[in-house]
Amino acid sequence: MVTPLALLVIAIAPVIASPALKIIKYGTTPNGFSSPARGWNSFGLQANGNTAPGWSFDQSHVQAQCDVLASKLHTGGYTYCSLDSGWSEGSNGDQYGRIIPDKSKFPDLSGFATHLHSRGLQLGVYVVPGGFIADKAKHIYGTTTTIGSVCSGDNGLVRCNWDYTRPETQKWFNSVANQFASWGVDFIKLDYITPGSPSNGVNLPADESGEVIAWHKAIAQCGRQIRLDISWKLDRSKKYFSIWNQHADSMRTDQDINNSGSSTLVNWGTVQRAVENYRQFIVASLQYFTIINTHPDLDNLYVANDPSVDGITYAQQQTMMSHWIGAGANLILGDDLTKLSSFGLYLLTHPAAQGITSFTAQYPMQPRNPGSGNQGPKQMQAWISGPSPSGEAVVLLVNYGPDQGQGGFGTTTPGSQHMTISYADLGIKPPYKVYDVWNDNYWGNVSAGLDVGIGEGQSFLLHLTRP
């Protein structure tokens, strides 16, 4: 029974309006790209060998993976075949100290690139900061300057630290980028960048932003369009976020999410952490920018294999895919593509989801808490991408299930939950025609907000258009 006093309190309680929605967009990236990268990266299988018995990191095994991109996933735009750590010589470069392949693993990198390009694919490689300590007596290509005169110390990666104020340093970067371009490289993953790269176990300088700037300049002069992805969990203060935004095409928002050394590739608690780190990324972006020029890299997607291998359920795979799509993030798979599941193929090539991906490559989603429109972490969370000038928007409704320790929201409510969110909470005005993307189901014209039951780990990816 409701008492008269309670009725009085309800009657006079003020209605708190949801905060206004700031629409944020992606612009052209620093190296001229209008959408995030899609493809495959080797690190998941390198770090989780138990998930792919018999696989090894070498040219023939990588080619077998990437040939699947061409044969089954190319229509979904998955074109990058990205080599992670270990493709190159680990302790020295060529006669000019330039990075070179480890020919015991990749005996013909240029030929491999030619093969990929013939199939409509692109080659990615991995680099870390610094010049090799063993190469300090070598001259930088085109100069009489030795590496040791512009590179000192030991960063813990058998490399010295560059003096970015010296023009000869930039000439080293230019010479490496030019050689990469001559081999047919299309994507560079630059790891161990600081501020960021927490708990890295090495001896990095506190600020390696100069490395990012130098690579960007080198790419700009090399005569080939190459993406630059920087890693990992980069500092999101305004000073450094602005540097990443001006010089990198994508930036990692989290540490590695794979289950290193395990029999499965990922776990749901780590996916919760990745989502929370994206939330922090986009909330910071909203404070600093109206246009973001660098796409988020949420780390590899693990949605293409059976749940017994990926380590998350089909529903959780669908939610993971929806999150990476909604973020306008890189869609880089880490699975064994030779064991591509039918559900994975469905997620990666779904026509309507492809259309959503095109939209969110322009408008990244941002959180809007049900009942308030605020942007904190929640177990029952809503996200919105857009709206565009025509009113088009994408909405993601999620039940993450109990926080497994890194989700940020802290609640542990089990089972299916009910979500009601008003258009005011989302920051938009009705009416809208609502389409449930994965279930291929039109909800019709909806004027009173969204009201759904959502199971643990499940989500609804919705496309909203004007009637």
Side-chain angles (χ1 to χ4, degrees), residues 44-45 48 51 257-259 263-266 302 305 309-311 334-335:
L45 298 189
N48 299 75
T51 65
I257 69 169
N258 64 290
N259 289 339
S263 60
T264 58
L265 288 165
V266 76
Y302 295 104
N305 289 158
V309 177
D310 274 343
D335 300 271

Side-chain angles (χ1 to χ4, degrees), residues 140-192:
I140 294 170
Y141 182 81
T143 77
T144 58
T145 303
T146 61
I147 288 173
S149 64
V150 294
C151 195
S152 61
D154 181 349
N155 69 8
L157 297 166
V158 300
R159 291 164 172 85
C160 50
N161 303 306
W162 293 111
D163 179 351
Y164 301 108
T165 68
R166 294 285 295 270
E168 300 97 324
T169 294
Q170 187 61 52
K171 289 185 178 182
W172 181 88
F173 282 93
N174 293 355
S175 71
V176 177
N178 291 342
Q179 184 151 274
F180 282 1
S182 73
W183 294 339
V185 170
D186 305 286
F187 180 104
I188 296 170
K189 175 182 174 181
L190 172 58
D191 207 0
Y192 284 94

